[in-house]
Amino acid sequence: MDKDIIDLIQSDDYKERLKGEYLELYDRVQKLAIMLDKYDRGVLDFTPTTPITILGAQLSSMQGYLCILEYRINLEINNQ
């Protein structure tokens, strides 16, 4: 994980922690989406042990949470 994101997550300021959480989750969402896309295209270089339907559900949940974090950031940080 990027040191800047770690610094945000460990901040005493909840707004900085919120930004860090968003950035960390965004990165994880991107990586999981890429993995699932590779699986769908038949070019993934390993076989997941977790069923693809579960990974798809996880991605969907993560994307929903990402939207909620983005909304909070807009409310609490950008609209001061």
Side-chain angles (χ1 to χ4, degrees), residues 12-61:
D12 290 334
D13 180 357
Y14 85 94
K15 292 179 181 181
E16 295 297 307
R17 289 193 310 272
L18 184 60
K19 289 179 193 176
E21 182 179 358
Y22 176 86
L23 292 171
E24 178 185 20
L25 182 59
Y26 181 86
D27 182 56
R28 290 174 185 259
V29 164
Q30 296 303 309
K31 289 176 181 175
L32 182 54
I34 289 168
M35 187 197 84
L36 290 174
D37 178 62
K38 286 181 179 181
Y39 178 86
D40 288 343
R41 293 184 292 120
V43 297
L44 190 62
D45 60 357
F46 68 97
T47 302
T49 55
T50 302
I52 292 300
T53 55
I54 298 297
L55 294 172
Q58 178 182 349
L59 177 61
S60 179
S61 296

